[in-house]
Amino acid sequence: MPEAAYDFAIFGSTPLAALLAGLLAADHHKTVCLVSEPSSGFRLPHGFDLSVMAATRPETWALLKETTSETLRLLARLHGRPGLQRLDPIFVAETAESADALGHMRHMAHDFGYAVEPLPDGRGPGGVAYRLRDAVLLRRARLEPILRGWLEKCGVGLLSTHEGAAALRRDGSARLEVHGSTIEAAHAVLADDSAILAHVAAAERDRTLLLETATALLTASTGPLQAPVMHYVDRGVTLVRDRGGGVTAIGMGRPELALGRIGGCLAGHSPLRRAGQRIFRTVSTVDGAPLIGSARGVKATVLAGLGLSGAFLAPAIARVVAGAAGDREKAYFSARE
């Protein structure tokens, strides 16, 4: 017999995973454990958490506006202000197709109350850029201890991926062996790319999931960017400048491709000194839309392709996972299974 049993095992090391685990426990009265990698201030991130993204669907903006307000109210109650940074990110497109998409994004965001400012071109024929006002960036390193303290108060079991082994069954349940103890969970949620790669076999990543290589780069202190966060749609590059002046960049592709793209985005800031670099794999979807559902052959819930704003959708995702979503949220996520 298992020595501990949970309703849910959340696998993931991102703010989304932590928020999801805490919301399931605190708001939906579920027994939950969070299985994550040990944190390290020296490890470059696999992603960023921003309250806006280059979405073009009105239902996405409607949901994101609602859940962002919920998420920020929760973080305010948790005294999470040190882990939040308000800023005005810039989204850049350099091809006609992407420029059309960002133009549509501008109108969608504006219709839902977001202030969007077009910027002068200067990016070649057809290039466009838009500044979205009053967005929020989660500073993961500062937010992580705040979220862990909340999870402990909520009774969430905190397990490290280094402490034992986990096996997912085809019915979506999970069995964990930790320090000689057996832990069972009725349902597993794979809440970040690393968890999906670890627990969904290649044969079961059907045509919906797309694996890509990405490169994270940290520069030493450099001159200011046009905005603290800049997202280049066509290059697949996101730049985030920290308060000390260094830039963390994530670019899609192996280093020989990604570093050139990142360098192009940082043109004019040379000479740049590389302070760190990391290569990792990401999971996206073939059509670019978010996926909240099961992979082929595995009934565990898979969260993929949520983009920059996944953490801010956590309240709605928690309701869906807990079976407490309203009709509008059910319709939104069922269309993305």
Side-chain angles (χ1 to χ4, degrees):
M1 293 292 292
E3 298 182 20
Y6 293 94
D7 296 321
F8 291 98
I10 310 299
F11 292 81
S13 308
T14 60
L16 169 58
L19 287 166
L20 179 58
L23 288 166
L24 286 170
D27 289 2
H28 301 285
H29 312 293
K30 305 297 184 181
T31 55
V32 185
C33 64
L34 175 65
V35 186
S36 60
E37 295 182 14
S39 62
S40 171
F42 299 99
R43 184 185 298 125
L44 287 176
H46 285 185
F48 303 112
D49 308 287
L50 188 66
S51 63
V52 293
M53 57 179 168
T56 57
R57 300 293 300 175
E59 62 269 26
T60 297
W61 282 104
L63 181 64
L64 182 58
K65 183 175 183 180
E66 179 181 317
T67 56
T68 293
S69 296
E70 289 185 76
T71 303
L72 294 180
R73 287 196 298 269
L74 169 62
L75 294 176
R77 293 198 303 270
L78 301 180
H79 305 289
R81 187 173 180 179
L84 308 180
Q85 182 181 355
R86 289 196 174 270
L87 40 71
D88 302 328
I90 292 176
F91 291 80
V92 180
E94 296 163 288
T95 65
E97 182 179 7
S98 294
D100 286 344
L102 281 193
H104 191 60
M105 177 209 74
R106 172 195 180 187
H107 293 296
M108 290 295 101
H110 181 269
D111 288 347
F112 285 97
Y114 292 83
V116 186
E117 172 191 351
L119 300 178
D121 191 342
R123 291 171 176 80
V128 299
Y130 296 101
R131 190 192 308 272
L132 275 71
R133 295 288 185 182
D134 198 29
V136 177
L137 176 73
L138 301 186
R139 290 292 184 179
R140 292 187 176 188
R142 295 187 178 188
L143 191 60
E144 192 265 347
I146 297 170
L147 291 178
R148 288 189 74 84
W150 171 56
L151 293 174
E152 289 173 354
K153 290 180 180 179
C154 293
V156 173
L158 300 177
L159 307 176
S160 168
T161 54
H162 293 184
E163 292 177 339
L168 268 60
R169 301 185 181 94
R170 301 190 78 81
D171 65 357
S173 64
R175 183 182 182 91
L176 301 95
E177 301 290 341
V178 180
H179 298 312
S181 298
T182 300
I183 298 173
E184 296 277 357
H187 191 76
V189 179
L190 306 179
D192 68 10
D193 293 354
S194 296
I196 296 170
L197 290 166
H199 296 289
V200 180
E204 294 166 343
R205 299 181 204 129
D206 55 30
R207 297 179 182 179
T208 303
L209 298 179
L210 178 66
L211 268 61
E212 298 180 86
T213 299
T215 300
L217 175 73
L218 174 65
T219 76
S221 181
T222 184
L225 303 176
Q226 194 175 358
V229 174
M230 300 193 66
H231 180 63
Y232 291 80
V233 176
D234 295 293
R235 302 189 195 202
V237 171
T238 303
L239 308 177
V240 175
R241 189 173 189 267
D242 62 37
R243 292 186 174 97
V247 173
T248 302
I250 294 180
M252 299 309 300
R254 297 194 61 80
E256 56 269 23
L257 176 63
L259 292 179
R261 291 175 174 174
I262 293 170
C265 297
L266 289 169
H269 292 78
S270 57
L272 292 170
R273 186 168 66 85
R274 179 167 44 191
Q277 183 176 315
R278 187 181 189 186
I279 305 168
F280 57 96
R281 291 190 297 168
T282 67
V283 180
S284 59
T285 59
V286 173
D287 61 1
L291 168 68
I292 298 93
S294 303
R296 183 178 62 185
V298 178
K299 292 186 178 179
T301 298
V302 173
L303 309 182
L306 293 170
L308 290 170
S309 302
F312 292 89
L313 294 170
I317 296 172
R319 286 189 285 270
V320 170
V321 171
D327 291 341
R328 186 165 62 88
E329 289 175 341
K330 286 181 182 177
Y332 181 88
F333 288 109
S334 65
R336 291 156 176 82
E337 290 181 340

